[in-house]
Every structure is written in structure tokens, then in C-alpha cells.
Amino acid sequence: MMYGVLLVIHLLAAIAFIGTLFFEVFIWHAARRPLAQGVKDAADPAIAKRSRQVLHGVVLVLYSAGIALAWQHRGALSQPLSNSFGLLLSLKILLALSIIGHYLWLAYWLKSGRLTPDRACWLRRSILGHMVLIVVLAKAMFYWQF
């Protein structure tokens, strides 16, 4: 019962996280092009601020539920090459850790004043790509579990 609840929470948080990144990468990035510079200058920080407010909680829930779910499969993680489920789960965890690395990189660039619009765009796209791979791996795990 608890496993199912964690799975649904993890799934919903992943949808929120990916949806936010999808909006930023594919919708907002293109929609802002024809806007006047003053509108862009006002909208960009407002969207970034709201995105951070939402994503901090979403990421906390996503990673907490993910850790709790992975703990349920710690046996498969102890020998990840012994079965496809353990291998796929290990790859998901590595990608999730890489996303944390991206956010640490972002924090460094923000703190040092070296975050450029191109770097921010690259980070968003890279994180979205990582998340899409994680979703594909999760689907593959479900397929091979049965």
C-alpha cells in the first residue's frame, strides 16, 4: 500500500518537474522572441522566480519519494548488473544525481555572476533531456519487472 502511494507521489512530482521544464524550454523560450525587450525584462525574472518557488518543493518531494522507492529495491541495487531491473534503476539514480550536479553548477554560476542566458538555456535543456531519459528508463523497468 505505502509503495503504491510513494509511486503515485513520485510520478506526480516527476510530471510537475518535467512539465515546468517543458514549458520553459519549448513554450516560453519561443513565445518570448517577438515580445518587446521591456516585456521580456519584466516577464523573465517573474517566471524564473515562480518556477524556483514551485520547483524547490516539487524536487524535494520527487527526490524524497524516489529515495524511498529505491530503498525498497536495495537488493537489486547491491548487484545492478545481475538483472535488468537493477541496471535500469542504477542508471536512473545516476541520471538523478547528474541533475543535482546541474543544479550545483547553476548555483555556482549564479553566485559567481557567470550565468548567461545561453548557459541557463543549455542547463534547462540538459536537465529536461536527463528527465526524459529517466522516464524512458522507468517505463523499461516496469516492462521488465513483470
Side-chain angles (χ1 to χ4, degrees):
M1 174 71 177
M2 186 59 161
Y3 185 84
V5 171
L6 283 171
L7 199 59
V8 169
I9 290 170
H10 187 66
L11 178 62
L12 293 173
I15 290 168
F17 187 41
I18 293 171
T20 302
L21 287 170
F22 183 88
F23 169 79
E24 289 178 0
V25 169
F26 291 107
I27 297 172
W28 177 242
H29 186 71
R32 67 185 295 284
R33 284 187 198 128
L35 300 177
Q37 190 59 44
V39 175
K40 290 180 199 178
D41 291 343
D44 281 343
I47 289 173
K49 180 181 178 186
R50 184 62 185 151
S51 180
R52 279 192 307 273
Q53 289 171 340
V54 170
L55 284 183
H56 285 160
V58 167
V59 167
L60 180 65
V61 170
L62 177 65
Y63 276 79
S64 297
I67 290 167
L69 289 167
W71 182 255
Q72 302 292 320
H73 298 286
R74 60 191 176 276
L77 289 171
S78 65
Q79 296 179 345
L81 299 178
S82 65
N83 61 58
S84 59
F85 183 86
L87 178 63
L88 296 172
L89 180 57
S90 297
L91 290 173
K92 276 184 64 180
I93 291 169
L94 284 174
L95 287 168
L97 291 173
S98 177
I99 290 171
I100 292 171
H102 280 68
Y103 279 105
L104 293 174
W105 207 353
L106 173 64
Y108 168 74
W109 280 342
L110 280 170
K111 189 169 183 131
S112 66
R114 297 172 59 194
L115 182 64
T116 65
D118 286 342
R119 284 180 174 172
C121 185
W122 177 85
L123 276 172
R124 278 189 212 98
R125 288 178 180 183
S126 180
I127 292 169
L128 181 60
H130 279 65
M131 288 299 297
V132 168
L133 286 173
I134 288 171
V135 168
V136 170
L137 290 171
K139 188 65 175 174
M141 286 170 56
F142 179 77
Y143 175 76
W144 277 304
Q145 186 176 9
F146 296 105

